[in-house]
Every structure is written in C-alpha cells, then in structure tokens.
C-alpha cells in the first residue's frame, strides 16, 4: 500500500464550521447565565450609591427578616485577604469601611429567589458619610486633591520615553489637544456564574471569564484556600473584550456558597453589569509633531493622561501601551512622551480591546492629517512616507524584526473602490437618520478619512507570557481521536476552532475533541492582547509535536522501522509506504503537556523608556466614508474599508470576522459609545442610553488581508483582534472632520459637536 | 420580569373595581410595568377587562380608549393622521404593539412617548375618571398639559385615564412629521409634528426634545423666522446621554422648518 498526501478538511488555512457556531445562532448555546443547579440559591450584590463615602455602620436586621434569605455577608465575613487586583492588590472584594466608586460591592445576599434577594438587599441599611469625590483626573495629582487611597497618592503609573534630541526643532509644527470618552466593552452576556460547594471546604466555580488561573489565584486569596480547593471551569461566554479580565461575581458567589453550603448562582442585570466590570480609560492627550517641509517627521511630543478610576486594574499596562505605542507606526527620531494613569472616584477602568492604543490613535492620526494639510501633502502619502518598515526602530529603540507594511496598507485601502457619489434624489434609508424620516439630504455632506495603527501582540515589558496545552491521542471506537485541553478562554473569538485545526494539521486526525476549559491544566494566560492564537496556538502546536514524536517513537519500536512520519491517520515510511494505521499503533493513549513561551520581552528603562518591550507588532489601516448632516449632527458611515497584515490567516473566516467586529467597536467609540459620568455618577447604565452600533449602523466593508508571516511566531501568525478597533475610529473621525470642516477634538463625536 | 412582590390581581369589570387598595396599581398592557422591578407594588388591577371599545368615531371626533393597543389603533380604518409615524417613533416591535396601550404610553409620559406626540399634535384631550367618593369629578385635560415632564403627569392618585379624544376638526388636517435620534433605531431625540387645519390654523408640536410637549399655534402658517424664533424661545429642552439641550433646540428648528415648508 502506498500513501498519497492526505488533505482533510478543517486544517489550518481552512474555515471549518465553529463547534459553537450552530448552537449560538439557533439560541441553544448554554451561556453562563443559563447555569442551573437543582438546589441552588441566588446571590445578589448591594452596591454603593456614592462615588466616595465612609461606611459608618451596616445594619442587616431588617434584611435578615425577609423570608427566603439564607445569608448576608459583608467585609467582616471575608475569611482570607480582602484584596484582589490584576496588577495591584488594591481592590476589596467587599468594601471595608470606605467606598471609592459608585457601584462598589458592599454586601452580598443569598436567597431562594433573585427577587427575594434583591428585596432583602434593599433593606440593608448602610450608614454612609459622604466624602468629597475626586472626579477630574486632570487635577488628581494636584497637591490639594484628596488621595483616593489613604496609603498612597493618586498616581498609578508614570511612564516617560526620551529618545534623540531633547530640544528638537522643525520647520513645520502642529499640535492639538484631544479627549476620548469612556467606552464600555458592551458584551451581551452579563456577568454570571455558579459556585458549588464540594462539602469538604472547597468550591467549584463555573464562570464566564477571560483568564481562569488569575481568577483562581485571586479567589483563593480572598477565601483563604489553596488552589486545590478552588477549581474553576469556563462557562459559556457572551463576549468579553477585556471586561472579564478583572473579577466580578467570582469571589462573591464562592463566599455565599461556602457560607450557605448550597450552590449559588449570580447573574447581573444589564444595569448592574455597567458597574460590575471595568471600562476603557477616558483619556486626555496633548500632542505636538514637528516635520520637515517635505513631510518627514522630525520629532513628536505627547502628554497622555488616563483616568484609571478607583482601582488600578490594568491601568499600569494601559499606560505602558499608550506610552510605548502612542505615537503610531511611524519613524520618529526624536521623542518625548509622558503617559500617566491616575486614581479618581470615577468608575474603575482597565482592559479593553486596543488597550491604550485606541485613545492615542485618535490623537496621532488627527495630527498626521493636520500636518499633511499644513504642508500641502496627500494624507495617505504622508503616512506612507513616515510609516515603519521592517528593520526600523520603535520609539523605545526596539527593532521591528518582521514585516511592517504601513505604506502598503494605507495605499491598499486608498486604492479600494469608493462608494458611488450621491446624486439625484436619494433613498432616505441611505441617509443619516435612515428610515426615521429625519432628512432628505438637504444638509448632507460627504467626507473621507484615513488612519493607520500598530499594536503589540501578547503581554509585554518582561511579563512571563505563556500558555499550557495538553494533547491526548487515543483510539475511541476504532478511530484515532485527539483531545486538546487548555485553560485558554473561548470568549467568542474562535479559539476552540483554531485548537482543533492545529491538532488536525499536526496529528493528521479528523476527530478532535476540545476538553472543557478549566484549571486542571496549566494556565493558558488571558484571552486578551490578541494573543491566544499566537501563544496558546503555539502551546497546542508544541504539544501536538510532542505527541507526534511519542507516537512515531512507539511505532519505530513496534515496527522496527526508522524515519517514519504521520500522514493522515497512517504511519508512513520514508519511501511513502504505509506501514501501519495510527489506530494500530495507539494501543495505549499518548498524552503530552507543554508549557510554551514566546520570545522574552523586557521592562523599559524607567528614565528613558528604551527597551525591547514587545514581542510582536500588528498593523492595520482603515478608510472611512461618511455622510454627515451638518445641520442635524447625524452621521451615516457609508463605507469602512480596511487592510491588515495578519501574518498568516489560519482561519480566514475568523480573521475577517475579527476585523469586522473590531472595526464596528472602533466606529462605535468614534460615533456613539460613551459612559457618561458626572460627579462620579454613571448617567447611562443601559443599552437604551448607552448606544452600540447595530447592523443598521454598519456599512459594507471591503477587507484586504495581507499575509506577511512573522518568522518568530508559530505558523507566522500575527495577532488580529485589536488593530481594527484602533484604526477604524480615527478614520471615521477624520472623515467627519473632512465632511464638516470642524476640528472635532473629542470622541465620541456627538451631534452637538457638529451642529455648533 | 417576575414581580414577586405582587400577591393580588383583580380584573376590573366596573368603575367601582378601579378603586385602588394599598399597594395596588392599574395594569394596562404591562409592557413597562413588567419590564422593571416594582418593589412597592403588591397588587394589580387589570384595566383591559373593562371591555372598552378601542376606537369610537362620533360627530365630535375620535375617542381612543385608554386600553386601545397600538396595534388596534394602527389597524383601525378610522385611525387618525400621524398615527403610523408616531407609533414608529416609539421604536417598539410589533409584539409590543399588540399589547402596549395608547393610554399606558400617555400615562408613562416619557418625553419621547410616541402617543403623547400623537395626541399633542392633534389637540387630543384626556378624559380622566376621578376616584369614587371624595367629591372629585371627572374632567378633561389636553394631553399636552397632562404630560408635565419626562415621566410625570398631572394625574392625581386614584385617577384613571379613560380615553383620549381627538376633535373632528383636526382629522382632515394636513400633517407632516419628522423624528431624529442619535441612532437610527434609537430613542427619539426630537419628534416634530406640524398640522394645518381646514380653517388654516397651523399647529406645530415639539416632543422628545422638550421634557413635556411644546405646542406652537398660529392663525395661519407662520413665516420661517417667526417659527424659528418661537422654537428657540421655547423652554424645556433637556440634556441626557443621547443629546444636549442645545442640539435638541437646533434640530427642532431645522426639522420644523422642513415641516413648515412641506405644509406650505
């Protein structure tokens, strides 16, 4: 028997059906809010109505009298350390004596029905002494501003980058101030989970999250339990976008479960969800670019301020990205950047898709347009002229050691066909306001805008960024079956599909089972920073290679043959002869577990900001075409086209899906998405008042995918998920500026910014 | 949403049944009542079992029962002008339309309430039943005055909205409509209507942009400057996360001018 090259469907480069796809579109997928246990009780959270207050007393008397209540817990009931946090342990699991933002958890109630628990929570009497709130981040560091945390000042992180001439000059200088509002991740599946006590002092938590092992560590700390007694399993996740990187109900449900001895389910309503997770940092940015009259950038200065809110969350990393990447994908010899994150009594801000780069991109791209206009240069060509190429240095002095096709990306989107110019009487559905019969086109003007960006992939600045994969190969029912087990969270991005594709490709088996994501295998790291296909993909690849080596070693020993290889589900000799089936060799299962790391990164120098902070960069460009009714302030995005280098598209459909979704999220920030906070109070915690783009708002997209493989990454992949969120919004803002002629130095661009 | 504080439910058959006990509330279509926790409500009194005819056409005009659903309003051959536009401004699914009542929407009186916009645009009058006893009497009040703010009305405790009456003289009027929202299917930022009666009187109404309806009346179609001046001088424009007061004033002026021209 002679082998032929086996090509089964569902390998890398294909776009197989997602295992969760049909269930999701038919409404049968079990999200975390669908979790159920027959004898469970319901947990709810009492939250602070004040952004800053001292808790003088908590009276539970009336609440405990509500029939059906099985437990009410406050900070004094925390058995371990009452402190959680991704980077700083500054966040109480339950407020202890002081609250620092509106919505901070103060008490927990477990009852036989969620409404009963809510009624009981409403009867808890908290005696607050309202304190002055720090709500303006621009004065948070002033000497006379109160400290949000008693033990240190309001500075979370201060990052500086100094490169080249400290006092540069240039013949053309442009500067601007920019402001970015607070965006919400707006995932559709609210925070929810189920904690089940094991009867031996431990607990199993089923929860929608992004990073099981870091969750586990934090829950253990608060419960005072070792990891063996706190086991986490990923429940169905309805989107994340960074908003599930911090804890929400995890600790609370476990506290109630261990206290009552019963399974406890917690599921936030939409309004509570707005208080249950962190948001994208609002930012204030002051930029200055200097350039030659021929367009080459000479220097850049930036002062970036992020409002971190009450607790640190991911603010240090957001400052890190905002600072090190905040001047865009350009060659700039002289650099002076200050980036800071501060504490306030506003809602806590942390991880969100794009992570510090989103805010900065609005500023640097607006400034590139202004520079082009000042010297009379084409807005695309000035980006192409200054765009990084492979081998260039970033502003931290790091060599970009794989493709950096900035010029190609921006020219590619420019050259895509434009939508037809409006002419004659128009269908109102195509106009701003659409079918609402708002305008018939009287005040409508068209504008086109461009933007480019780059984003780091994976965790940076020396973080030990790794993932673990366990792959088992065995015969089930006469067929070889691979089981892949990682703790890397599937949040809707398609990781489980990629894990299957890698196994099929590396092991040649058709049947690949994805083990539930849990903490019985090593950490997969966070599903964030566009990293899972790269890092967990790398781990799965490495585990498969180890399994394959074991199988072939076993085959060699059993068959007395050397130089064997796997082809499909067959063992093939060097000459192509099939010497055994895979099933024949797999008399016992083969299992390998691999912990895989990408190349190391390093902390940047605290004085100069120089260093190899990042492992990989991903580049994208957008072109937006908008129609703006300049009298009414409404915007219709007519087209949003993009080009992105993805290294290698392991799953082309998933790549395009990520690009489309990310573009929508960036467009949302440019046009409508903002959590409005006044004096520390959230004014719009609902999807009625917090708008996100719908299918009516999304224009057709032309997506051009470039594949310049990164030689340092598994399969050459490059992170995909975040860049489109970064460059889409600035392109939309630029297009609105082009249509209106207004400077528009704040996003979201609100109607009143256009009409006045 | 479960209302598990509710322990009582009564079907109202007679006017006497509408006397509310402690903790009781009138139930219409329930589309709002069932959408949010109602922790202080212990009983519901169902108004829809009163058996009122949804719409009645008389020589005086059109009487719309408070229990008339929006779907019934739209399907009725005698539906008033602007009914479809104002129903669409409600941004509700057809499922909601089949249970949500015209009276319920008026009594909630949100600034963006489409049925308030409809009634105010057509000089609609609310017939209010006073509670039995206590010496109070039934009365009529223009809907534009019944809605006193964003979510507030002039209704006193125990009073029940019986019907909304549209005078016959406006049913033959020429009308025009504009709506603006930050998102195409978002909550209305401004709803503007214009009406020219057969006798030439012109009425322009602003809702959603002002906390309660703003009615501008003219003996004849006004000029652009006069209308704009009145729009600018109107009070009650408000700011919320979906739009500033200044923007609402600005777009009210622009869109009412379009309406004025359409009616000219």
């Amino acid at each position: 028997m002679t082998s032929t090259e086996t090509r089964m469907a569902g390998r890398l480069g294909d776009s197989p059906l997602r295992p969760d796809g049909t269930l999701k579109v038919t409404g049968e997928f079990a999200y975390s809010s669908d979790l159920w246990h027959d004898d469970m009780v319901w947990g709810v959270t009492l939250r602070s109505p004040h952004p800053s207050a001292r808790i003088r007393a908590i009276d539970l008397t009336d609440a405990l009298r509500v029939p059906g209540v099985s437990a009410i817990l406050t900070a004094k009931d925390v058995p371990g350390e009452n402190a959680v946090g991704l980077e700083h342990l500054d966040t109480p699991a339950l407020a202890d004596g002081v609250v620092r933002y509106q919505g901070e958890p103060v008490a927990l109630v477990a009852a036989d029905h969620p409404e009963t628990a809510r009624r009981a929570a409403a009867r808890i009497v908290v005696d607050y002494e309202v304190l002055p709130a720090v709500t303006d981040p621009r004065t948070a560091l002033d000497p006379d501003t109160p400290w949000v945390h008693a033990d240190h000042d309001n500075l979370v992180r201060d990052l500086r980058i100094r490169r080249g001439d400290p006092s540069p000059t240039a013949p053309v200088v442009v500067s601007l101030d920019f402001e970015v509002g607070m965006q919400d991740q707006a995932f559709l599946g609210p925070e929810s989970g189920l904690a089940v006590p094991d009867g031996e002092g431990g607990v199993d938590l089923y929860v929608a999250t992004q990073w099981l092992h870091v969750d586990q560590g934090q829950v253990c700390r608060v419960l005072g339990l070792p990891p063996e007694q706190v086991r986490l399993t990923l429940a169905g996740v309805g989107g994340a976008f960074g908003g599930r990187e911090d804890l929400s109900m995890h600790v609370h449900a476990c506290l109630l479960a261990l206290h009552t001895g019963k399974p406890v389910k917690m599921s936030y309503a939409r309004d509570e969800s707005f208080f249950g997770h962190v948001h994208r940092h609002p930012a204030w940015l002051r930029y200055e670019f200097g350039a030659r009259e021929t367009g080459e950038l000479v220097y850049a200065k930036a002062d970036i301020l992020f409002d971190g809110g009450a607790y640190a969350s991911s603010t240090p990393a957001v400052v890190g990205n905002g600072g090190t990447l905040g001047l865009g994908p350009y060659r700039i010899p002289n650099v002076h950047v200050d980036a800071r994150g501060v504490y306030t009594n506003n809602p806590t801000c942390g991880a969100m898709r794009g992570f510090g780069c989103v805010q900065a991109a609005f500023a640097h791209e607006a400034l590139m347009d202004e520079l082009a206009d000042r010297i009379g240069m084409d807005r695309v060509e000035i980006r192409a002229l200054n765009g990084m190429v492979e081998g260039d240095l970033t502003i931290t002095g790091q060599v970009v050691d794989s493709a950096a096709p900035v010029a190609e990306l921006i020219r590619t989107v420019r050259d895509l066909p434009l939508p037809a110019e409006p002419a004659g009487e128009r269908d109102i559905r195509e106009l701003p306001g659409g079918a609402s019969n708002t305008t018939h086109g009287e005040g409508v003007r068209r504008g086109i805008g461009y933007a480019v960006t780059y984003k780091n992939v994976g965790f940076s600045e020396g973080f030990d960024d790794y993932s673990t994969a366990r792959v088992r190969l065995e015969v089930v029912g006469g067929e070889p079956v691979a089981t892949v087990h990682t703790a890397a969270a599937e949040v809707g991005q398609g990781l489980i599909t990629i894990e299957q594709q890698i196994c099929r490709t590396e092991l040649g088996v058709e049947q690949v089972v994805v083990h539930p994501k849990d903490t019985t295998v090593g950490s997969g790291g966070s599903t964030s920073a566009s990293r899972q296909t790269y890092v967990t993909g790398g781990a799965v690849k490495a585990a498969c290679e180890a399994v394959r080596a074991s199988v072939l070693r076993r085959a060699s020993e059993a068959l007395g043959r050397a130089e064997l290889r796997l082809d499909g589900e067959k063992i093939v000799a060097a000459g192509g002869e099939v010497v055994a089936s895979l099933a024949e060799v797999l008399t016992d299962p083969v299992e390998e577990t691999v912990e895989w790391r990408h190349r190391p990164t390093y902390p940047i120098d605290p004085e100069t900001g120089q260093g190899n902070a990042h492992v990989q960069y991903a580049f994208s460009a957008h072109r937006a075409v908008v129609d703006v009714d300049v009298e009414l302030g409404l915007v219709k995005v007519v087209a949003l086209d993009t080009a992105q280098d993805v290294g290698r598209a392991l799953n082309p459909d998933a790549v395009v899906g990520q690009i489309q979704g990310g573009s929508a999220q960036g467009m949302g920030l440019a046009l409508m998405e903002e959590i409005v906070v006044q004096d520390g109070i959230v004014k719009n915690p609902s999807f009625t008042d917090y708008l996100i783009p719908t299918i009516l708002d999304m224009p057709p997209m032309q997506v051009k995918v470039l594949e310049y493989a990164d030689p340092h990454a598994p399969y050459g992949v490059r992170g995909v998920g975040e860049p489109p969120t970064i460059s889409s919004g600035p392109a939309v803002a630029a297009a609105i500026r082009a249509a209106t002629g207004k400077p528009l130095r704040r996003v979201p661009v609100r109607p009143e910014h256009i009409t006045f | 949403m479960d209302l598990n504080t509710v322990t009582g439910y009564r079907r109202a058959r007679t006017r006497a049944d509408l006397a509310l006990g402690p903790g009781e509330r009138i139930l219409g279509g329930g589309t709002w009542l069932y959408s949010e926790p109602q922790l202080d409500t212990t009983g519901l009194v169902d108004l829809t079992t009163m058996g009122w005819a949804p719409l009645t056409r008389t020589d005086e005009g059109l009487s719309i029962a408070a229990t008339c659903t929006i779907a019934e309003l739209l399907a009725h051959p005698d539906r008033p002008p602007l009914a479809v536009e104002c129903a669409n401004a409600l941004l509700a699914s057809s499922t909601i339309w089949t249970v949500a009542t015209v009276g319920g929407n008026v009594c909630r009186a949100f600034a963006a309430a489409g049925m308030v916009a409809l009634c105010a645009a057509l000089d609609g009058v609310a017939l209010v039943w006073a509670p039995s006893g206590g010496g109070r009497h039934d009365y009529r009040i223009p809907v534009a005055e019944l809605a006193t703010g964003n979510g507030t009305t002039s209704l006193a405790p125990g009073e029940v909205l019986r019907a909304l009456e549209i005078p016959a003289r406006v049913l033959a009027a020429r009308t025009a409509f504009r709506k603006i929202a930050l998102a195409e299917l978002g909550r209305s930022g401004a709803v503007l209507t214009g009406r020219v009666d057969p006798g030439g009187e012109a009425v322009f109404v602003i809702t959603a942009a002002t906390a309660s309806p703003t009615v501008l009346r003219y003996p004849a179609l006004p000029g652009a400057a006069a209308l704009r001046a009145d729009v600018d001088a109107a009070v009650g424009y408000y700011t919320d996360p979906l739009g500033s007061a200044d923007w609402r004033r600005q777009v009210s002026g622009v869109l009412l001018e379009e309406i004025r021209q359409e009616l000219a």
Side-chain angles (χ1 to χ4, degrees):
Chain A
M1 188 163 63
T2 301
S3 168
T4 57
E5 187 66 25
T6 302
R7 183 75 177 90
M8 67 179 63
R11 289 186 169 202
L12 295 175
D14 298 337
S15 297
L17 192 66
R18 295 172 58 134
D20 54 343
T22 302
L23 293 172
K24 285 179 174 172
V25 298
T26 56
E28 296 175 271
F29 185 79
Y31 289 98
S32 56
S33 53
D34 297 316
L35 290 163
W36 195 267
H37 201 290
D38 279 347
D39 57 345
M40 71 183 187
V41 295
W42 294 77
V44 304
T45 312
L46 178 70
R47 297 176 181 274
S48 167
H50 306 295
S52 178
R54 184 173 294 114
I55 299 174
R56 287 191 288 232
I58 302 177
D59 185 351
L60 308 179
T61 310
D62 283 350
L64 286 167
R65 290 195 183 114
V66 175
V69 170
S70 49
I72 301 180
L73 306 180
T74 63
K76 67 180 176 54
D77 300 302
V78 172
E81 184 182 354
N82 188 11
V84 299
L86 288 174
E87 300 195 43
H88 297 320
L89 293 173
D90 63 354
T91 312
L94 287 169
D96 189 3
V98 62
V99 290
R100 298 184 177 88
Y101 70 96
Q102 182 207 16
E104 179 156 3
V106 172
L108 307 170
V109 179
D112 55 5
H113 190 281
E115 196 58 40
T116 306
R118 276 192 281 270
R119 275 192 292 155
R123 284 167 170 72
I124 297 173
V125 180
V126 183
D127 180 9
Y128 291 106
E129 176 191 355
V130 176
L131 301 174
V134 180
T135 57
D136 186 348
R138 291 164 292 186
T139 59
L141 300 178
D142 289 353
D144 56 347
T145 300
W147 289 3
V148 174
H149 296 262
D151 57 344
H152 52 81
D153 65 18
N154 291 333
L155 181 66
V156 181
R157 185 180 182 187
D158 184 4
L159 178 147
R160 61 177 59 191
I161 298 174
R162 304 287 186 267
R163 181 171 180 79
D165 184 349
S167 303
T169 59
V172 183
V173 176
V174 290
S175 62
L176 58 70
D177 289 335
F178 210 95
E179 186 178 334
V180 179
M182 183 186 293
Q183 187 180 22
D184 189 62
Q185 293 85 355
F187 44 70
L188 298 186
E191 295 85 343
S192 46
L194 177 70
V196 183
D198 65 8
E200 299 174 352
V203 64
D204 288 277
L205 176 64
Y206 303 84
V207 65
T209 187
Q210 290 181 238
W211 195 350
L212 286 164
H213 283 76
V214 160
D215 291 354
Q216 182 189 38
Q218 295 179 89
V219 174
C220 286
R221 182 178 296 106
V222 178
L223 299 181
L225 293 174
E228 306 80 61
Q229 289 190 274
V230 180
R231 298 160 296 270
L232 270 67
T233 301
L234 186 70
V237 184
F241 313 112
R244 298 187 203 271
E245 207 160 59
D246 294 80
L247 297 184
S248 59
M249 45 60 65
H250 309 53
V251 169
H252 300 159
C254 292
L255 283 168
L256 289 170
L258 291 173
H259 194 84
T260 62
K262 293 181 177 179
V264 173
K265 177 174 177 175
M266 297 185 78
S267 185
Y268 293 174
R270 178 59 57 195
D271 57 345
E272 186 175 18
S273 177
F274 275 91
F275 299 101
H277 62 262
V278 301
H279 314 289
R280 187 189 300 290
H281 293 70
W284 289 259
L285 310 104
R286 172 163 293 178
Y287 273 54
E288 179 178 302
F289 281 3
R292 296 193 180 93
E293 287 164 340
T294 48
E296 294 90 350
L297 286 168
V298 175
Y299 74 86
K301 298 178 181 176
D303 191 333
I304 307 169
L305 175 66
F306 293 104
D307 181 1
Y311 296 104
S313 181
S314 299
T315 293
V318 167
V319 171
N321 275 7
T324 60
L325 302 160
L327 296 180
Y330 302 117
R331 263 187 318 281
I332 312 174
N334 306 296
V335 171
H336 185 290
V337 174
D338 286 300
R340 287 161 295 145
V342 295
Y343 285 118
T344 65
N345 292 114
N346 291 323
T348 302
C349 291
M352 186 176 171
R353 195 177 197 172
F355 215 84
C357 299
V358 168
Q359 296 93 326
F362 282 102
H364 65 64
E365 290 307 276
L367 212 45
M368 289 301 283
D369 282 346
E370 191 151 320
L371 188 58
D373 295 349
R374 184 75 66 84
I375 61 179
M377 191 170 181
D378 180 82
R379 290 181 173 188
V380 168
E381 288 305 317
I382 197 167
R383 289 175 167 86
L385 174 69
N386 289 287
M388 287 177 176
V389 298
E390 185 172 355
D392 277 344
L393 298 180
T394 69
I395 62 172
T396 70
Q398 182 170 4
V399 176
V400 179
D401 60 3
S402 65
V406 175
E408 182 178 355
L409 289 168
I410 192 69
R411 287 171 173 151
T412 295
V413 294
R414 178 196 59 193
D415 294 339
L416 290 169
L418 281 163
E421 282 291 326
E425 187 172 346
R426 299 179 66 183
D427 185 334
I428 63 166
R429 290 172 299 181
E430 298 173 355
L431 292 168
S436 294
N437 192 27
T438 302
T439 180
H440 293 248
E442 298 87 345
V444 175
R445 309 282 182 269
R446 177 157 289 187
I448 300 174
Y450 294 92
V452 295
T453 192
Y454 78 146
K455 169 72 176 58
N456 61 322
V457 174
F459 288 164
S460 299
E461 297 187 66
F463 189 88
D464 183 19
D465 193 11
Y466 71 95
S467 184
T468 314
R470 179 177 297 151
V471 174
R472 178 184 177 92
L473 191 58
E474 60 192 322
V475 175
V476 178
E479 298 291 329
V481 176
T483 300
V484 57
H485 188 186
T486 76
E490 168 64 64
V491 300
Q493 82 278 39
L495 176 65
I496 55 176
T497 315
I498 289 291
E499 290 179 348
Q500 288 181 319
Q501 290 179 257
I502 292 172
C503 288
R504 289 195 192 101
T505 301
E506 296 297 335
L507 299 176
V509 298
E510 191 166 355
Q511 301 297 325
V512 180
V513 175
V514 179
H515 190 284
K517 309 287 189 171
D518 59 27
T519 50
T520 64
V521 69
S523 176
S526 180
T527 295
S528 60
S530 307
R531 65 179 286 284
Q532 285 295 19
T533 297
Y534 187 134
V535 185
T536 292
V540 173
K541 176 175 185 285
C544 286
E545 290 167 348
V547 166
R548 189 174 60 212
S550 293
V551 168
L552 293 177
R553 189 164 51 247
R554 184 183 294 182
S556 292
E557 292 168 0
L559 301 171
R561 303 284 295 263
E563 298 184 35
L564 299 176
R565 62 181 171 87
L566 268 176
D567 182 0
E569 296 178 353
K570 302 178 284 291
I571 308 293
V572 180
E577 176 192 4
V578 175
V579 296
S581 70
L582 181 57
E584 290 170 335
V585 176
L586 285 173
T587 51
D588 296 309
V590 174
E591 181 177 291
E592 299 289 349
T593 303
V594 173
E595 200 172 83
W596 189 87
R597 287 170 168 76
H598 60 62
R599 292 183 295 162
T601 60
Y602 301 93
I604 57 173
D605 183 279
E607 295 302 319
T608 65
Q610 299 300 290
N612 291 341
H614 305 300
V615 68
Q616 185 189 64
Y617 301 99
F619 298 81
S620 69
H622 272 84
R623 181 188 68 191
V625 182
V626 303
D627 281 347
V628 183
D629 191 313
V630 298
E631 295 177 327
L632 300 174
L634 293 185
V635 177
K636 177 93 173 177
V637 181
V638 178
L640 188 59
D641 301 318
T642 185
Q644 183 168 333
D645 175 22
V646 304
R648 183 182 169 198
L650 300 189
N651 183 320
D653 282 358
V655 163
V656 172
Q658 284 287 308
I659 291 172
Q660 290 172 330
S663 298
Q665 211 155 20
M667 185 188 83
L669 176 57
L671 290 178
M672 62 184 83
E673 292 193 48
E674 182 175 12
I675 296 178
V676 178
V677 182
Q678 290 178 357
D679 301 324
I681 302 295
V682 175
K683 309 299 285 187
N684 55 340
S686 75
F687 280 165
T688 300
D689 289 323
Y690 182 92
L691 298 178
I692 55 176
T694 70
I695 192 67
L696 284 175
D697 301 299
M698 275 306 290
M701 287 191 69
Q702 300 176 80
V703 178
K704 288 293 181 185
V705 172
L706 306 187
E707 296 188 76
Y708 292 117
D710 180 348
H712 312 288
Y715 305 115
V717 298
R718 204 177 289 279
V720 173
E722 291 176 289
T725 312
I726 305 170
S727 51
S728 54
V732 171
I736 302 171
R737 282 193 291 271
T740 62
K742 291 180 177 291
L744 301 176
R745 299 302 188 220
R746 187 185 193 283
V747 289
V749 178
R750 304 185 70 86
E752 55 265 33
H753 301 154
I754 295 171
T755 55
F756 294 105
Chain B
M1 170 170 288
D2 294 336
L3 300 180
N4 74 341
T5 56
V6 174
T7 56
Y9 168 79
R10 294 192 289 116
R11 291 182 177 84
R13 306 287 187 193
T14 68
R15 185 163 174 173
D17 293 337
L18 297 176
L20 300 179
E24 283 190 329
R25 297 181 70 168
I26 293 290
L27 171 66
T31 51
W32 178 81
L33 197 62
Y34 291 144
S35 72
E36 295 186 15
Q38 311 288 349
L39 296 180
D40 296 327
T41 302
T42 57
L44 301 174
V45 178
D46 194 341
L47 198 63
T48 64
T49 51
M50 289 294 287
W52 297 332
L55 274 89
T56 307
R57 180 69 192 259
T58 66
D59 290 344
E60 286 73 38
L62 195 62
S63 177
I64 305 169
T67 51
C68 173
T69 68
I70 293 168
E72 288 172 332
L73 174 72
L74 297 181
H76 201 281
D78 289 329
R79 75 179 182 219
L82 296 173
V84 172
E85 292 88 340
C86 290
N88 280 324
L90 262 180
L91 190 65
S93 67
S94 57
T95 309
I96 296 293
W97 281 1
T98 60
V99 286
T101 63
V102 176
N105 188 250
V106 169
C107 288
R108 278 308 309 153
F110 288 127
M115 294 300 103
V116 171
L118 174 67
C119 293
L122 301 179
D123 290 347
V125 171
L127 170 59
V128 179
W129 277 1
S132 302
R136 289 155 66 183
H137 301 286
D138 298 348
Y139 64 94
R140 287 180 167 81
I141 182 173
V143 172
E145 297 174 21
L146 179 89
T148 56
N150 192 355
T152 62
T153 69
S154 62
L155 291 171
E159 292 182 340
V160 173
L161 177 63
R162 167 62 183 85
L164 300 149
E165 298 170 343
I166 309 297
R169 63 181 167 78
V170 308
L171 298 177
R174 290 185 296 119
T175 59
F177 174 94
R178 294 287 189 280
K179 171 197 164 175
I180 189 168
L182 189 51
E184 185 168 343
L185 293 184
R187 190 176 66 220
S188 302
V191 172
L192 298 312
T193 60
R195 190 186 91 223
V196 177
D197 292 346
E201 183 192 22
V203 179
F204 297 86
V205 178
I206 304 168
T207 55
T210 50
S212 59
T214 298
V215 182
L216 306 173
R217 295 183 182 280
Y218 304 89
L221 203 62
L227 178 60
R228 184 60 188 242
D230 289 343
V231 171
D232 288 346
V235 296
Y237 295 104
Y238 65 98
T239 295
D240 75 0
L242 299 187
S244 71
D246 288 344
W247 173 71
R248 292 175 200 275
R249 180 184 283 109
Q250 158 74 6
V251 299
S252 295
V254 171
L255 295 174
L256 277 180
E257 172 56 19
E258 288 184 18
I259 287 174
R260 191 193 69 83
Q261 291 182 22
E262 189 174 322
L263 294 174

